Amino acid sequence: MLYTTWWDKVHRMKNKNMLKFITFFILFYFNHIGAAMAYEEPTYRLLKTTKVYEIRYYEDRLAVQTLQVSGEDGAFRRLFRYISGENKTASKIAMTVPVLKSDDGSGLTMHFFLPKSYSKLNTPIPKADNVKLVTVKGGHYAVIKYSGKSTNKRNKKYANVLEKALLKDGLSINGSPIQAIYSGPFTPFFLRRNETMYRVGWE
């Protein structure tokens, strides 16, 4: 009888710990991962899918841009301060995904897309001189998707894979690779969503 009582206590303790873990995971999911999934994304038309990449057509998109002269964290903070109210009208702007990183020859840059409700007429002007509003040109893009950490090394790796596949299929590449980061830093690495893309010639 004593043995049964002791074992029941152990069993109840295990169930309590398991319940705490499940509760923690659910809260973590909805506070971090679930919230990220709710962020607005640019719409596109999917034109082709292969084993390696997708061909998408995007319209022109309004974005805020900064040069990464002081590192990636500094660039992110500048853009985040802009959408948090560091603009001429002190307006708070909703975060969107993905965050873009690219190098068009003038240096590494980072972009935040603005929500669809904004246009050139109603978008607040940045206060900082090193933050500016730009239009990310629309067109046809080849996109390769991958999970894990969004490092520059991994971006280059998948850019090479994508480039080889595109050249093999006879598609012309226009410009440098663009890194698209969808997941926040609190998202477990195995659930992170990343893309690398090239603007391509498509008929």
Side-chain angles (χ1 to χ4, degrees):
M1 185 70 176
L2 290 175
Y3 174 81
T4 303
T5 302
W6 176 83
W7 179 251
D8 287 341
K9 286 182 178 180
V10 172
H11 189 65
R12 284 196 297 271
M13 287 177 65
K14 285 184 176 180
N15 286 341
K16 280 186 177 181
N17 290 335
M18 180 60 69
L19 182 61
K20 286 180 180 178
F21 174 79
I22 292 172
T23 302
F24 171 80
F25 182 82
I26 291 172
L27 290 173
F28 181 87
Y29 181 88
F30 284 105
N31 285 338
H32 299 291
I33 304 171
M37 291 175 66
Y39 289 157
E40 182 180 304
E41 300 182 24
T43 57
Y44 61 85
R45 284 192 289 116
L46 181 61
L47 303 177
K48 179 180 179 179
T49 302
T50 74
K51 291 182 179 180
V52 178
Y53 62 87
E54 295 178 350
I55 299 294
R56 303 174 184 172
Y57 179 79
Y58 286 95
E59 301 287 347
D60 289 354
R61 293 159 289 170
L62 195 61
V64 62
Q65 170 188 294
T66 191
L67 193 65
Q68 289 188 202
V69 291
S70 59
E72 182 176 339
D73 290 342
F76 186 92
R77 283 195 295 269
R78 286 196 295 275
L79 297 182
F80 191 78
R81 284 197 296 266
Y82 166 78
I83 66 172
S84 298
E86 196 171 293
N87 51 67
K88 295 295 178 67
T89 58
S91 301
K92 292 188 177 181
I93 302 170
M95 182 75 183
T96 67
V97 292
V99 174
L100 293 190
K101 292 171 59 181
S102 61
D103 186 350
D104 61 2
S106 59
L108 288 171
T109 58
M110 182 177 286
H111 295 83
F112 280 11
F113 288 117
L114 294 173
K116 296 173 185 176
S117 57
Y118 286 89
S119 68
K120 290 182 178 180
L121 297 176
N122 66 357
T123 300
I125 303 299
K127 282 187 176 180
D129 293 335
N130 53 3
V131 175
K132 63 179 182 178
L133 298 174
V134 297
T135 298
V136 177
K137 191 175 181 182
H140 296 95
Y141 289 82
V143 182
I144 185 170
K145 299 184 284 188
Y146 55 98
S147 59
K149 294 183 178 180
S150 55
T151 61
N152 292 332
K153 183 178 180 180
R154 300 191 79 235
N155 177 54
K156 290 179 181 178
K157 171 187 173 182
Y158 284 95
N160 289 333
V161 173
L162 178 57
E163 181 179 2
K164 289 178 181 177
L166 293 173
L167 294 178
K168 181 180 178 182
D169 292 346
L171 293 175
S172 61
I173 297 173
N174 303 320
S176 303
I178 302 168
Q179 185 178 7
I181 303 166
Y182 287 82
S183 306
F186 294 107
T187 306
F189 73 93
F190 54 89
L191 291 176
R192 293 188 184 185
R193 176 186 170 194
N194 308 296
E195 295 177 347
T196 295
M197 59 181 70
Y198 279 107
R199 187 179 173 87
V200 295
W202 183 263
E203 294 182 0

